[in-house]
Amino acid sequence: MNAVDRAGYERHELLGRRVRDIASGGVGELMAVTHETHNDGRTVRIAHIRPTSGVEWSTAVANVQAVPPLGRGVVAAGGSRRLAAVPRAVIMQPTTQCLPMDCTYCYLPLRKTKHLMTVDVARAVAASANGWAADDPAFEVVWHGGEPLATGREHLSALMAPFEGVKHSVQTNAALVDDAWCDFLLGRDVAVGVSLDGPADMNRHRVTLAGRSGFHVAMRGIERLRRHGIPFSAIAVVSDPDPKDAARLYEFFAELGVTTLGVNVEEEEGVNRGVRPSDTARATEFWAALADAWRANPVLRLREIERVLRFAGAVLQEEVTSSLPASAPWDPLPTVAYDGGVVMLSPELAGFTDDRFGDFTTGNVLGHGLDVLVAEAEERTPWITEFWEGVDACRAACPYFAFCGGAHPANRYFEHEGRMDGTRTRYCTTAKIALMEGVTRHVRTHAQ
């Protein structure tokens, strides 16, 4: 370790040089390295970095690496080449139809029409995806957007056929699940995620096209999954994060036997407008109560709680980990629409058009290979440049950036009147900031 002066400042070899914070992707000048002693006697080394413009931030010293001077192939924060060259997953929209659901908070513009992906589109995606899967055994093809089972078993089978070596998963409302679908899922080793918002009274926004509650038809499909021994995760949308409901929400899914639960606070996206104003304090209490419920009965994985605890562990241990939300480069997360159009970073933008950005697509797999579209995404997609400007603004101003990584593109666009360079969104406050504060409150309470 380098020498430390009496004031606790380390004489680090990179002081005064341009460095990159691997955890956040930020670039700036290393201003100081300080040592902080925790109550348990451990010494943590903290690097303080100042960007060309903006607010100084701190990170673990282990996250800091030197970067060459500008002009030698390195791009400064806010520039291009910030997407990974290879995604970890591809999202496929086999159909736009959400049969038989018509959820009141749904953002999809074409959910009442039936557009089917062609096998040619699937073949074009597989041409790139199979190579990625050969190098990454965890590479996943996620069938999501619309209701995948509304595609029909025969056609979905034909769409899956060109893929080799990938892990398939479906996100379903479970209403169409029957014994034949269970055999299909088991026979192809397809991972299953179910969209359900909790017990019947919390599930009131999930209604059928006929306007009736979708709870019982979803539960009927879930019972078939359980009868066939098919494990499943769940995603619940919470329109009103009421702390009084947190324990009952958790226990419902614990008794249901889900493997993992993800909790999404309702967002203002797409055709879902007029979401109730965010109440950060109330949302914080909700997350704290949810963490309490999980701690009292930790029988399933709670996605959001794990994210906070993993982030906190990495920071405390000065670990560099690509799982941090603010890690660079970003996973491009290509979403392939039914017609072959590819939207990067934000599945929620698929199917929409804008006067400035067009249809948000980077291109179409029927015209260019998906590997080419991913590699050239930043050059081909004007809105991504504006999005990076928003990310850099978040980095400079928000103390939660290292955890959050910046507001998602669709949230920025729909909450900031078509701009991608805005900063804080309602999603930030209720699902990131309140989450961090709520879990931190939970940890402090139980550490005493």
Side-chain angles (χ1 to χ4, degrees):
M1 185 179 295
N2 300 312
V4 181
D5 64 21
R6 292 181 179 178
Y9 287 85
E10 179 180 323
R11 298 170 187 172
H12 198 278
E13 62 272 14
L14 296 180
L15 285 174
R17 290 181 56 183
R18 291 183 71 254
V19 296
R20 182 183 300 278
D21 173 12
I22 298 175
S24 70
V27 174
E29 180 182 353
L30 182 62
M31 305 302 295
V33 173
T34 59
H35 288 196
E36 297 180 3
T37 302
H38 286 199
N39 292 335
D40 60 4
R42 290 187 304 112
T43 297
V44 178
R45 301 162 69 213
I46 305 296
H48 302 267
I49 303 171
R50 180 178 297 166
T52 303
S53 61
V55 179
E56 183 178 294
W57 79 93
S58 59
T59 187
V61 170
N63 291 342
V64 174
Q65 62 178 205
V67 297
L70 290 174
R72 293 171 57 184
V74 175
V75 179
S80 60
R81 311 312 317 150
R82 295 166 69 164
L83 290 178
V86 176
R88 294 192 291 270
V90 172
I91 298 177
M92 302 284 282
Q93 184 185 42
T95 180
T96 55
Q97 194 173 34
C98 286
L99 190 75
M101 296 297 188
D102 186 23
C103 302
T104 62
Y105 52 61
C106 185
Y107 60 84
L108 295 171
L110 303 175
R111 65 182 184 272
K112 295 183 181 180
T113 59
K114 186 172 185 177
H115 296 288
L116 287 176
M117 178 178 285
T118 66
V119 175
D120 286 341
V121 169
R123 289 196 189 103
V125 174
S128 298
N130 291 347
W132 294 331
D135 295 328
D136 178 9
F139 185 85
E140 189 173 14
V141 175
V142 183
W143 302 90
H144 186 23
E147 167 52 49
L149 304 194
T151 307
R153 281 185 296 277
E154 184 175 345
H155 192 63
L156 188 57
S157 177
L159 294 177
M160 289 181 170
F163 293 94
E164 299 175 359
V166 307
K167 292 182 177 294
H168 288 288
S169 67
V170 298
Q171 187 67 32
T172 175
N173 58 42
L176 299 179
V177 173
D178 57 15
D179 292 334
W181 270 116
C182 289
D183 291 340
F184 177 98
L185 298 168
L186 284 169
R188 291 162 178 78
D189 194 25
V190 178
V192 179
V194 171
S195 298
L196 187 70
D197 298 341
D201 61 307
M202 297 184 192
N203 209 64
R204 61 186 179 278
H205 295 286
R206 298 188 61 80
V207 296
T208 67
L209 287 166
R212 299 187 179 92
S213 170
F215 179 76
H216 296 293
V217 291
M219 289 299 295
R220 184 177 59 204
I222 288 171
E223 283 304 315
R224 288 199 176 96
L225 291 173
R226 297 173 65 177
R227 190 185 313 146
H228 284 264
I230 299 175
F232 59 96
S233 60
I235 294 177
V237 174
V238 176
S239 297
D240 177 18
D242 189 335
K244 297 193 300 295
D245 292 334
R248 192 159 61 93
L249 175 73
Y250 178 83
E251 287 304 323
F252 171 80
F253 285 104
E255 292 175 7
L256 206 57
V258 305
T259 57
T260 302
L261 173 62
V263 178
N264 295 340
V265 178
E266 183 179 349
E267 305 168 44
E268 183 172 325
E269 296 178 316
V271 297
N272 183 35
R273 312 309 297 267
V275 177
R276 61 183 296 162
S278 57
D279 183 337
T280 307
R282 194 163 183 262
T284 298
E285 293 176 8
F286 169 81
W287 290 115
L290 194 62
D292 290 344
W294 169 77
R295 185 178 186 275
N297 184 27
V299 295
L300 57 84
R301 297 177 60 189
L302 194 48
R303 183 185 63 186
E304 284 69 29
I305 306 301
E306 283 195 356
R307 286 175 178 170
V308 177
L309 297 180
R310 185 169 60 242
F311 171 79
V315 172
L316 290 174
Q317 297 301 320
E318 299 186 60
E319 294 177 354
V320 177
T321 169
S322 60
S323 65
L324 291 179
S327 61
W330 286 58
D331 186 342
L333 192 64
T335 295
V336 183
Y338 74 94
D339 60 359
V342 181
V343 174
M344 302 294 174
L345 292 170
S346 192
E348 299 86 355
L349 293 173
F352 291 92
T353 59
D354 178 82
D355 291 340
R356 293 192 301 139
F357 300 131
D359 61 5
F360 295 98
T361 65
T362 296
N364 193 295
V365 294
L366 296 179
H368 299 87
L370 184 57
D371 54 346
V372 173
L373 296 179
V374 168
E376 299 178 357
E378 293 172 86
E379 293 83 359
R380 290 172 172 267
T381 319
W383 68 261
I384 292 181
T385 300
E386 187 172 291
F387 171 66
W388 292 145
E389 294 172 359
V391 171
D392 289 333
C394 286
R395 176 185 288 112
C398 183
Y400 297 90
F401 180 81
F403 170 65
C404 174
H408 297 172
N411 299 115
R412 291 179 189 270
Y413 177 79
F414 291 112
E415 291 192 32
H416 290 290
E417 299 181 347
R419 300 293 306 183
M420 289 288 187
D421 52 3
T423 53
R424 187 166 294 188
T425 64
R426 280 187 288 276
Y427 177 72
C428 291
T429 58
T430 57
K432 294 294 184 180
I433 296 172
L435 169 63
M436 172 65 81
E437 291 294 330
V439 177
T440 300
R441 180 183 300 178
H442 162 83
V443 171
R444 283 198 300 263
T445 299
H446 292 281
Q448 295 175 353

